[in-house]
Amino acid sequence: MNGISPQLQNQIAQYQQVQQQLQNVMTQKGQMESQQRELQRTVEELAKADGDVYRNVGMLLIKVSDKAALKDELEESLETLGIRIRGLERQEKDLREKYEVLGETINRAMGNAPVPKAAPARSDEEED
């Protein structure tokens, strides 16, 4: 990076760090959303289940004696995942804003015209 000021080099490094953080947050969010969908399907199937219900515990399947308690536990897990996902969404929004501001600052410092935003694609734009 010859000919680039130390301040600009620092901003470029920050830009790259923010990009990596944004990608990590989006990956985590995607994984949690997948867990949330799976857990929601489990709750729905539990509601339909007429016979015995078994729970996977390690390498064993254990018969569930209290389906209502299991349903409550699953719904609590769903709520917790929802809270964590909303936290990641806020973090993603903040990182996107920081990413865009740093990109614009770097482009201005380098004398370039504004470039189309190149932030990683939003995970909510992806369809299963």
Side-chain angles (χ1 to χ4, degrees), residues 78-120:
L78 263 174
E79 185 178 334
T80 300
L81 268 175
I83 291 167
R84 293 178 70 193
I85 289 169
R86 285 190 297 278
L88 287 170
E89 287 170 345
R90 283 190 299 273
Q91 192 175 359
E92 179 184 4
K93 179 180 178 275
D94 292 344
L95 286 169
R96 269 186 197 285
E97 290 171 2
K98 188 173 183 180
Y99 183 85
E100 290 172 7
V101 167
L102 279 169
E104 290 169 7
T105 302
I106 290 167
N107 280 328
R108 278 195 310 272
M110 294 180 75
N112 296 336
V115 185
K117 293 184 175 65

Side-chain angles (χ1 to χ4, degrees), residues 16-29:
Q16 291 169 335
Q17 286 177 329
V18 169
Q19 181 181 33
Q20 184 63 44
Q21 290 172 344
L22 182 56
Q23 289 172 341
N24 290 341
V25 166
M26 290 170 53
T27 299
Q28 289 176 11
K29 183 179 143 198

